Each structure stands twice: as C-alpha cells, then as structure tokens.
Amino acid sequence: MVTNELTTSRATPLQVARARGRVRGRLILLGPAFVAAVAYVDPGNFATNSAAGARYGYLLVWVVVVANLMAMLVQTLTAKLGLATGRSLPELCRERLPRPVNRVMWVQAELVAMATDLAEVIGGAVALYLLFGIPLLPGGLIIGTAAFAVLALRSRGYRAFEITIAVLLGVIVLAFAANLLASGSDPGSAMAGLVPRLQGTDSVLLAAGILGATVMPHVIYVHSALTRDRIPAADDSERRILFRGQRTDVLLALSAAGAVNLAMLLIAAASFRGGGPGGADSLEGVHAGLGQTIGTAAAFGFAVALLVSGLASTSVGTYAGEVIMQGFLRRRVPLLLRRLVTLLPALAVLAIGLDPTRALVLSQVILSFGIPFALIPVVAFTRRRDLMGNLVNHPLTTAAASLVAVLVVALNAFLLWQVVAG
C-alpha cells in the first residue's frame, strides 16, 4: 500500500489520467475542441448554409467541405500553441509584441467578442420566438441570463464545462441528422457537389462567404487557453502524447460541426431548391419552409437546434471575452460585468427592432475584421522553434497554414469591399 501511494505521488498528471483505463484515459484528453466547434455551428452558419442550399442546390457542397478542412488545420495549430507554450494566444501577444500593437489587438478582440455575442444572442432570441412566441428583446435577456448557468459549471472544473458544451453540440447534431433523414436529400447529387464548380457571380460571393467565415477569431483565443494548462506535460514525450490527443479531439469535434453545416445545406437544397415554399433568406423563413415541406417536427427540430446553438455559443463567447482581457491586459473583471459588456450591443439591436437576419450578417462583417489579428499570429508563433520546441510546425504545415491565412484574409477583404461598394 505504501509503495502504491508513493508511486501515485510521483506520477505525472498524464500518467494519473492514463491509469484510469484505456478508454477513460483517452476520453480525458478530449474536450477543448468541442468547445471551439460550437462556434462553427452558431446561428450565423444556420443562415449562410441554408441560403447556399436554397439558391444553388448541391452546387456548393465542396465549399462546405473545404471550409471544414481549413477549420481543422487552424484549430489544430491553436490547440498546439497553448499546449506547447503554456500560454494563450492573447498572453503570447502581450509578451511578444510592442505595447501599442498589443493594445490595438485588445480593442479589436473586444469588438470581436461583442460581434460574436450579437449573432448568438439574436439567434437564440429568434429560436425562443419560433418555439414559444416570446418577443425578441425578452428572449435575448433569457439567453443572456441562461448563459450564466453554463458558465457557472467552470467553477466545478474544466470537465463539467467541456462535457456540457459537448452535449449541447450533440443535440444540434441529432436535430439536423433527423431532419436530413426526413428531407429526402439526394445522395447522388450531394456526391456530385464535391466537384469544385461555380455558377455566376452570386455563387462566387456565397462561396466566399462560407469560406471567409470559416475561421472564428474568438475561438482561436479560447482554444489556446483551454489547452494551455489542462493537463501539464512533464517532458517532450508527454507533450507529444497530449498533442496526439488534441489532434483526435479536433478531428472528432470539427467533423461533427462539419456534418451539421453540410446537413444544413443538404436540407435546404432538398426543401427549398426550385422555388419551394418558405424561403432561406431569414431564419424565420427557413423554419416556416421546413414546416411546409418536411413537417412540423422538422421545424421544431430546427428551432431547438437554433436555441441550443445560441445558448452554447454565447457561453463560449463570454468565456472568450474573459480570455481576451486576461491575456492582453493581465486583468480580470467580474463575470457579471463581463457578460453585460458583451450583451448590451445585442440587446440594443433587439430593442431598436432591427431585422435579426440583417443583424446577423452585420455581425459576420465585424468578425471578419478580427480574423487577421488572430490567424496570422497563430501561424507566426507555431513556426518558431524557440516557442514550440518539439511541437514546432513542419515546413509543409506552415506553408499550408500560411495559404489558409492568405485565402481567408483575402476572401474577407473581398466580402468587406462588396459590402462597402454595394
């Protein structure tokens, strides 16, 4: 007994985790990417992917797949950054960049956090209206308040928060899986959509919108913080083991998110293509159209998924705000104050009575401004051996990540120009 206690006391955190058994030892490594994955199925994605399927059928299936592969690469690098350095991306920016640059990055990151909450609270409020007829402003207050319950789970440790978010993501997956089966989507046409092709300027713009919105700035900050000190590594060997676990985490979580995005497009293609009832120009239109083409259960499933998406993603967005302020400024603020700062713009939009779908589009435009500030530092930091040690990028990885960064930044610049010119 004494020997066992001594052995346990000398064991590293990773060894203790793996001693729980083969399955439990592997499961304990999963979680951070599921938190990040919620951002890839937020209410903004509901609108964009549904519009793609309704307007062009299965044409842009390949765009959704490519976008998901890009997301996997970015989130893998982000997870690796936190694991290798023991710091979040905002913390590294504060330490490595000039103070004026750091302050500018903090300001834009705060704007990103507000824009994120704008989309998510509005999406959740629309869902409450569709399900229960609750007006949008009270619905926004309910979503904002409910997020506290999810965030409070973090006081019980990181696992409670991660598992809760993963369960909420699972609800979204199940809702869209059921709707996809009921939609009568054509598998042959879906497979044909994997061949890259476009039809006219509008399809180019929509494809650019899907690809350009792939990288969500706030989850780059969050993901690096989640892997920062989750399970401390004793040496390079353990760090490699942990990184393999994080790669699996990203693969599983982003595959689930990618499947949801693909299902959104396929359902819309089967239900709205060819001038079907309803429309996909708004969340309310998608809900009504699904009710007419597939049935009441499908409309209900869509609204439930939208509600869960809004709740989960706004919880993650609030956590992102905390990571941003702590990292860039090395300051903490009370959770209530932090929540109010990011919630007020969304409530103001709902109070004014702006069109919810238009507000969602506006939030995506604001988010696009923050992408270079998050993505470029990740690529720059992960290629440095003095920071990353044995987890430094392979040259091919850096080349691929640099290509993704250039592509995403260029697409978002193009979209912004279209908005201004239009």
Side-chain angles (χ1 to χ4, degrees):
M1 183 68 177
V2 174
T3 302
N4 288 340
E5 290 178 356
L6 181 62
T7 301
T8 302
S9 66
R10 291 177 177 175
T12 66
L14 177 60
Q15 290 170 339
V16 172
R18 301 183 81 186
R20 298 181 180 183
R22 185 173 182 179
V23 175
R24 291 186 66 189
R26 290 183 176 179
L27 287 177
I28 201 68
L29 301 180
L30 307 181
F34 284 86
V35 176
V38 167
Y40 292 94
V41 290
D42 73 358
N45 293 82
F46 280 60
T48 303
N49 292 313
S50 295
R55 296 178 192 175
Y56 296 101
Y58 303 94
L59 179 73
L60 301 180
V61 166
W62 68 273
V63 179
V64 175
V65 174
V66 170
N68 199 61
L69 293 175
M70 290 166 54
M72 287 183 175
L73 175 59
V74 171
Q75 295 305 144
T76 298
L77 294 184
T78 305
K80 183 169 68 169
L81 181 67
L83 178 62
T85 65
R87 292 172 176 80
S88 67
L89 177 59
E91 288 172 331
L92 284 170
C93 290
R94 187 191 70 233
E95 294 173 4
R96 302 278 170 169
L97 300 177
R99 187 172 182 178
V101 175
N102 182 67
R103 289 303 173 93
V104 170
M105 292 191 67
W106 168 66
V107 170
Q108 65 79 33
E110 292 289 358
L111 293 175
V112 162
M114 292 180 187
T116 299
D117 230 24
L118 182 67
E120 294 154 356
V121 171
I122 288 175
V126 170
L128 287 175
Y129 173 75
L130 295 175
L131 287 168
F132 309 110
I134 298 174
L136 293 181
L137 181 56
L141 287 169
I142 292 172
I143 293 296
T145 303
F148 279 110
V150 179
L151 288 167
L153 294 171
R154 288 178 50 234
S155 64
R156 301 183 180 181
Y158 63 84
R159 288 304 285 171
F161 180 65
E162 291 175 352
I163 291 173
T164 300
I165 295 297
V167 169
L168 294 175
L169 178 61
V171 171
I172 299 171
V173 171
L174 290 175
F176 275 98
N179 280 2
L180 181 61
L181 290 174
S183 69
S185 179
D186 182 6
S189 297
M191 292 298 293
L194 292 172
V195 178
R197 53 200 174 92
L198 296 165
Q199 288 181 359
T201 304
D202 288 342
S203 70
V204 175
L205 290 175
L206 195 50
I210 295 172
L211 286 172
T214 296
V215 181
M216 304 298 286
H218 69 292
V219 291
I220 293 180
Y221 302 129
V222 165
H223 204 168
S224 62
L226 288 170
T227 60
R228 172 183 52 194
D229 48 12
R230 193 170 177 271
I231 301 178
D235 52 35
D236 286 347
S237 176
E238 287 198 353
R239 199 168 286 110
R240 285 190 178 279
I241 293 172
L242 290 171
F243 179 52
R244 285 198 294 270
Q246 292 308 308
R247 284 192 301 190
T248 302
D249 190 31
V250 170
L251 178 63
L252 294 175
L254 270 295
S255 292
V260 169
N261 284 314
L262 189 57
M264 291 176 188
L265 186 148
L266 296 179
I267 292 168
S271 303
F272 303 110
R273 182 66 171 151
D281 291 332
S282 69
L283 295 173
E284 297 92 332
V286 174
H287 177 264
L290 290 176
Q292 296 178 53
T293 58
I294 304 178
T296 304
F300 177 77
F302 174 85
V304 169
L306 181 61
L307 175 61
V308 172
S309 169
L311 176 59
S313 54
T314 195
S315 301
V316 174
T318 303
Y319 178 47
E322 182 180 330
V323 169
I324 287 167
M325 180 163 282
Q326 179 186 351
F328 283 114
L329 301 183
R330 198 180 292 174
R331 293 180 182 176
R332 288 181 179 272
V333 297
L335 180 60
L336 178 59
L337 178 60
R338 176 77 249 176
R339 189 74 190 99
L340 289 174
V341 168
T342 54
L343 184 61
L344 285 177
L347 295 180
V349 168
L350 294 175
I352 293 171
L354 294 180
D355 177 62
T357 302
R358 183 171 180 80
L360 282 174
V361 173
L362 176 62
S363 71
Q364 300 305 304
V365 173
I366 296 173
L367 280 173
S368 68
F369 279 107
I371 289 176
F373 294 94
L375 184 54
I376 293 174
V378 166
V379 178
F381 288 146
T382 53
R383 67 185 291 273
R384 293 180 53 173
R385 185 171 294 277
D386 61 322
L387 282 175
M388 302 296 295
N390 66 330
L391 293 183
V392 66
N393 288 348
H394 187 280
L396 289 178
T397 302
T398 297
S402 299
L403 178 61
V404 168
V406 170
L407 178 61
V408 172
V409 172
L411 285 172
N412 277 277
F414 173 67
L415 289 174
L416 287 173
W417 179 79
Q418 287 290 321
V419 171
V420 173

